[in-house]
Amino acid sequence: MSPSQESVLSEYETDTSQTSKLLRKFKETPFVPIGMAGFVMVVGYGLYRLKHRGDMKMSLHLIHMRVAAQGFVVGAITCGVLYSMFQEYVVKPKE
């Protein structure tokens, strides 16, 4: 192995705790936790509204909640991709 590869591997091996890996990923891709939080909020709201759905059928209510949760996650992923493309091609200086 070359010296540069050894330094990268040793740096990776020291950062092996799951929490530190998760925090590093959240810093690299900030829209993933936003999508996860939105999904949890939509599911929580759906469970809350489940008691007060009135005459709406259970299956129709669940379909609406599933579509809302998926829409939020897809929207967050799309925003993340657009943000990373903006950072890569507009903000980053051309070499």
Side-chain angles (χ1 to χ4, degrees), residues 6-61:
E6 289 175 2
S7 65
V8 170
L9 289 177
S10 64
E11 180 181 324
Y12 177 76
E13 289 172 356
T14 59
D15 189 28
T16 56
S17 74
Q18 294 295 328
T19 306
S20 61
K21 286 181 185 179
L22 187 64
L23 290 175
R24 187 184 70 220
K25 283 293 186 184
F26 283 171
K27 288 178 185 174
E28 291 173 3
T29 55
F31 287 95
V32 171
I34 293 171
M36 290 168 46
F39 175 78
V40 169
M41 288 185 333
V42 168
V43 169
Y45 177 73
L47 289 174
Y48 171 75
R49 292 294 300 166
L50 189 62
K51 289 173 67 175
H52 309 289
R53 69 181 188 276
D55 293 340
M56 185 184 294
K57 289 184 180 181
M58 172 75 94
S59 61
L60 187 61
H61 175 74

